[in-house]
């Protein structure tokens, strides 16, 4: 993939300002013009985790990004650079997401970092930006689900103050998931 100024992704990656292998990220509100970059990051992260998405799943992601009640943040290394990370929170709902909106509660449905930037502090910066935005929206509690086996994600979430809620479930493929929650502010 070619990035800004005609540089390849690897050249762009090398050009990103780093300090002790930490990428300094600008976390900004995602706009419709950022949706393609957000989907690219989501897809790349899933492929790297050996979970390539189906066409149905890709279509569902586009729907979530277009939801006007959602809070999308993206991370860039600089103002004009590629999207390196994305996170999306939606209003929290009762009945496992199928019921009425729960006032003051949000649900983090996506947190993805491009695999070229895994382990470089990007996810933590992204979540901090998301937490600031959802506080502005009046959401004082956030929930999310993650695969029990996803140690990297669990470490990220726990480092950002998320704790297990006690709710667990199993995905259709048999993989166990657990719900985490965090109080904001």
């Amino acid at each position: 993939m070619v990035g800004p100024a005609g540089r390849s992704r690897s050249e762009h990656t090398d050009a990103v300002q780093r300090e002790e292998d930490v990428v300094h990220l600008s976390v900004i509100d995602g706009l419709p013009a950022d949706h393609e970059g957000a989907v690219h990051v989501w897809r790349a992260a899933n492929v790297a985790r050996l979970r390539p998405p189906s066409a149905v799943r890709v279509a569902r992601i586009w729907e979530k990004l277009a939801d006007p009640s959602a809070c999308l943040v993206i991370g860039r290394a600089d103002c004009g650079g590629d999207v390196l990370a994305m996170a999306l929170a939606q209003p929290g709902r009762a009945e496992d997401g199928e019921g009425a909106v729960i006032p003051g509660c949000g649900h983090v449905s996506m947190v993805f970092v491009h695999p070229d930037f895994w382990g470089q502090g990007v996810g933590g910066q992204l979540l901090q930006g998301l937490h600031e935005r959802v506080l502005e929206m009046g959401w004082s509690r956030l929930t999310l689900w993650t695969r029990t086996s996803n140690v990297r994600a669990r470490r990220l979430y726990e480092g950002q103050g998320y704790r297990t809620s006690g709710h667990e479930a199993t995905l259709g493929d048999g993989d166990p998931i657990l719900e985490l929650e965090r109080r904001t502010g």
Side-chain angles (χ1 to χ4, degrees):
M1 175 175 187
V2 175
R7 293 185 293 211
S8 71
R9 162 110 19 227
S10 63
E11 289 172 311
H12 177 67
T13 302
D14 293 341
V16 172
Q17 181 184 15
R18 296 179 188 196
E19 179 179 311
E20 297 179 17
D21 273 345
V22 173
V23 173
H24 296 281
L25 201 66
S26 294
V27 179
I28 59 176
D29 294 328
L31 302 173
D34 300 309
H35 291 182
E36 187 172 333
V39 171
H40 172 75
V41 166
W42 171 82
R43 186 187 313 261
N46 277 289
V47 168
R49 291 180 15 219
L50 304 177
R51 296 184 183 281
S54 68
V56 170
R57 188 69 183 133
V58 172
R60 179 69 182 120
I61 297 309
W62 281 101
E63 287 175 19
K64 286 180 174 242
L65 292 172
D67 179 354
S69 67
C71 176
L72 172 66
V73 295
I74 60 164
R76 297 180 189 273
D78 55 53
C79 292
D82 291 338
V83 176
L84 307 180
M86 59 83 70
L88 183 86
Q90 298 171 289
R93 294 184 173 276
E95 301 172 28
D96 293 325
E98 302 296 323
V101 170
I102 303 170
C105 183
H107 178 75
V108 180
S109 62
M110 292 189 274
V111 177
F112 289 94
V113 174
H114 193 282
D116 289 350
F117 298 93
W118 286 354
Q120 297 176 40
V122 170
Q125 293 173 72
L126 184 72
L127 280 173
Q128 288 171 8
L130 180 68
H131 296 154
E132 291 170 10
R133 299 319 186 284
V134 301
L135 258 178
E136 293 168 5
M137 296 173 72
W139 296 349
S140 59
R141 178 176 167 258
L142 288 174
T143 63
L144 61 83
W145 288 90
T146 191
R147 291 175 189 267
T148 305
S149 62
N150 192 341
V151 176
R152 179 185 300 272
R154 290 181 60 188
R155 186 172 49 239
L156 168 66
Y157 300 139
E158 289 166 2
Q160 291 292 315
Y162 288 84
R163 301 293 177 251
T164 59
S165 70
H167 296 109
E168 297 180 7
T170 304
L171 295 173
D173 64 4
D175 209 0
I177 57 174
L178 65 124
E179 184 185 50
L180 301 175
E181 63 184 348
R182 178 187 194 274
R183 297 283 175 191
T184 57

